[in-house]
Amino acid sequence: MASGVKKFLPALCLMLCAALLSADEPKFSQRIEWRANANALEYKVEIQNTATDTVSSFTTEKTFAELSLAPGNYRYRVTVYDFLGRKATTSAWTAFSVIQAARPEIRSIEKNVTAPDADERLEIAVDIANVSADSLVELVSENVPGELEISGSGGTDEKERVSKVYFQDVPPGKWRLRVTNASGFSAESDVIEIVSAVKPPPAVEQDDAEAAVAREAEERAAREAAELAERLAREEQEAAARLAAEKKKKPPYVFKDITVAGGVGLAFMPYDGTVTDMSGNTFAPAFMGRIAAFPLKREKYRFGFELCGLYADWGAKTDFYALDLTFLQIGANVVWKHRLFGAKSFFALKAGGGVVVVDYATTYTYSGDDDRREPSGRKRLFYPAVTAGASLVFNPAQFLSLEAGADFSHLCITGMPTGCVTPYVCVGFRL
């Protein structure tokens, strides 16, 4: 049917009924299904036996049908009738097979079998009827799986016959052979005994009894030592696996390594000249404080940010004027630290920006009334700035941090760009 292929998805249950089973055996049926059609009143299902071309049909309001067919090859199709009873669509033919199920029959089995060498398979001569290539054969004790040697065609019908079964790595002992068909029927043999091909050691003479006891003790001690070593190795591997799993689950963002620090430095301006010319001082003492946090932590590096502040005073007094100039910078930087030696020392690079506040006042001196000048008054100017820096960080104790480095600031002053370099040392407290 045109839309039936999209609307119908047949599904077939291939485990099937056994026509020749006794009355107390469980019965099997087949079930076919198709996708529902929202406009369907009922469905017409046609079943055709491909060997005889015989077609049977029935109608149903359900989207499945329970069948009880004899073994063979079949195909089916579904026709949809709408709410007015009109034929809507018909699906394509879908082929399926009904195979015959049977209970395995173990007619004979070799009762005493010698185990082969480690690299060879164990072969057991048997006569088992009513099996297929999909049948499961196993030795029941530790459920050792084996292989069937089908003497027939090897088809899916459970009517083939087995002459040999094979197993790998079977230790000596008493076992039972179990055969289970794909249909769920199974059979179990009598007990068979598998003996070792290795000859037992010769009887120990009376004079060698003590030597045998000592040798047995040595062998037991060697076995115990090997078992202990194996257990310790296994425990070590399990511990390593747990540690690796914990590291893998640990989130990379851990808000730790927070440092509050303060320090002193020496600020000077390598270019501009206006401030140094007015004050007469190239260098000025500086005081700073910073708060740094490193949320991203790896084995050898840290990545975070810092909030920082810098204060410097270029006050000066000459014969003609007195200058009081302060320099306050507030900013934020991103910081990258890389481990140097061990887990206590780092090299840090930082970059960012902020605001610089320049506060100054000038008082002029004079020798006479004609030269008198009024004081300039106090002025406060704000300028944006970009910053960069590098430092060495050392953490001698868990809660202590030492840092030495140099910061550079460029003041974006129109017509008079100014730079300030500040070497510094800081002492911090780590949270």
Side-chain angles (χ1 to χ4, degrees):
M1 52 189 173
S3 61
V5 175
K6 298 180 180 178
K7 295 180 179 179
F8 299 119
L9 183 61
L12 179 61
C13 197
L14 291 179
M15 280 329 302
L16 320 156
C17 73
L20 303 178
L21 300 178
S22 59
D24 58 344
E25 300 286 4
K27 301 297 182 181
F28 292 92
S29 62
Q30 306 89 39
R31 180 187 178 101
I32 56 175
E33 298 178 353
W34 53 91
R35 183 175 296 176
N37 188 312
N39 300 317
L41 173 65
E42 62 180 3
Y43 305 93
K44 177 183 177 182
V45 183
E46 296 175 86
I47 309 292
Q48 182 182 43
N49 187 320
T50 58
T52 62
D53 291 334
T54 304
V55 178
S56 60
S57 63
F58 57 91
T59 59
T60 179
E61 296 179 357
K62 301 178 180 178
T63 58
F64 65 90
E66 298 286 349
L67 308 176
S68 181
L69 302 175
N73 296 319
Y74 299 85
R75 64 177 186 168
Y76 77 97
R77 66 181 179 182
V78 179
T79 301
V80 179
Y81 288 88
D82 61 19
F83 288 111
L84 298 178
R86 297 175 302 181
K87 178 180 177 180
T89 54
T90 302
S91 69
W93 286 103
T94 300
F96 65 96
S97 297
V98 176
I99 62 175
Q100 181 170 315
R103 182 180 296 280
E105 180 182 355
I106 303 176
R107 298 177 179 177
S108 66
I109 185 170
E110 188 178 0
K111 294 296 184 67
N112 293 284
V113 184
T114 301
D117 295 335
D119 56 348
E120 296 181 359
R121 295 189 304 172
L122 173 68
E123 177 183 315
I124 302 177
V126 295
D127 182 7
I128 305 176
N130 299 333
V131 291
S132 69
D134 297 328
S135 297
L136 171 66
V137 59
E138 56 187 344
L139 287 175
V140 182
S141 177
E142 299 176 359
N143 289 343
V144 179
E147 300 176 14
L148 290 170
E149 181 180 280
I150 300 295
S151 57
S153 62
T156 56
D157 282 339
E158 297 171 353
K159 59 183 180 180
E160 304 293 346
R161 192 167 178 174
V162 167
S163 60
K164 292 180 182 179
V165 292
Y166 297 94
F167 297 90
Q168 193 76 34
D169 300 328
V170 180
K174 293 183 178 182
W175 304 78
R176 290 180 183 271
L177 182 70
R178 177 188 294 162
V179 183
T180 305
N181 285 342
S183 60
F185 291 115
S186 65
E188 193 170 300
S189 73
D190 296 332
V191 174
I192 62 175
E193 185 171 2
I194 299 175
V195 298
S196 175
V198 181
K199 295 182 179 180
V204 181
E205 298 293 339
Q206 186 67 26
D207 296 339
D208 297 334
E210 295 181 0
V213 172
R215 185 167 57 253
E216 182 179 354
E218 292 177 358
E219 293 175 354
R220 183 170 58 255
R223 286 195 303 270
E224 293 176 353
E227 292 175 356
L228 177 60
E230 182 180 357
R231 185 173 66 255
L232 293 177
R234 184 169 58 253
E235 292 175 354
E236 183 177 355
Q237 292 177 355
E238 292 175 354
R242 286 195 300 269
L243 181 60
E246 291 175 358
K247 288 184 177 180
K248 187 176 181 180
K249 293 180 180 179
K250 185 177 181 180
Y253 292 92
V254 180
F255 282 90
K256 294 183 179 179
D257 198 359
I258 299 175
T259 303
V260 179
V264 295
L266 191 63
F268 72 96
M269 296 189 178
Y271 57 90
D272 160 52
T274 301
V275 174
T276 55
D277 289 345
M278 292 179 63
S279 66
N281 297 324
T282 303
F283 299 92
F287 304 91
M288 61 182 58
R290 64 187 68 222
I291 300 175
F294 296 90
L296 182 59
K297 302 176 66 176
R298 287 289 187 261
E299 182 179 358
K300 291 187 178 181
Y301 68 85
R302 306 284 188 270
F303 188 81
F305 58 89
E306 70 172 9
L307 302 176
C308 55
L310 172 68
Y311 174 83
D313 189 348
W314 266 277
K317 186 175 183 180
T318 68
D319 294 338
F320 303 99
Y321 60 87
L323 174 66
D324 181 16
L325 185 147
T326 60
F327 181 94
L328 176 63
Q329 177 178 333
I330 301 174
N333 296 319
V334 292
V335 185
W336 175 81
K337 295 198 306 184
H338 191 278
R339 194 173 70 183
L340 290 178
F341 309 106
K344 295 184 177 182
S345 58
F346 295 87
F347 171 70
L349 292 176
K350 58 189 73 176
V355 177
V356 174
V357 182
V358 179
D359 189 281
Y360 69 95
T362 306
T363 302
Y364 297 96
T365 59
Y366 51 90
S367 57
D369 293 340
D370 295 338
D371 297 328
R372 181 185 299 242
R373 296 180 63 184
E374 296 296 329
S376 65
R378 196 147 204 97
K379 294 184 179 181
R380 182 171 298 152
L381 303 175
F382 298 85
Y383 301 106
V386 293
T387 59
S391 65
L392 294 175
V393 181
F394 179 61
N395 302 324
Q398 181 178 1
F399 301 106
L400 182 64
S401 176
L402 306 178
E403 182 176 2
D407 287 345
F408 167 76
S409 301
H410 176 79
L411 282 66
C412 302
I413 304 175
T414 304
M416 190 181 64
T418 303
C420 179
V421 178
T422 310
Y424 66 88
V425 292
C426 283
V427 179
F429 179 75
R430 298 175 65 210
L431 304 179

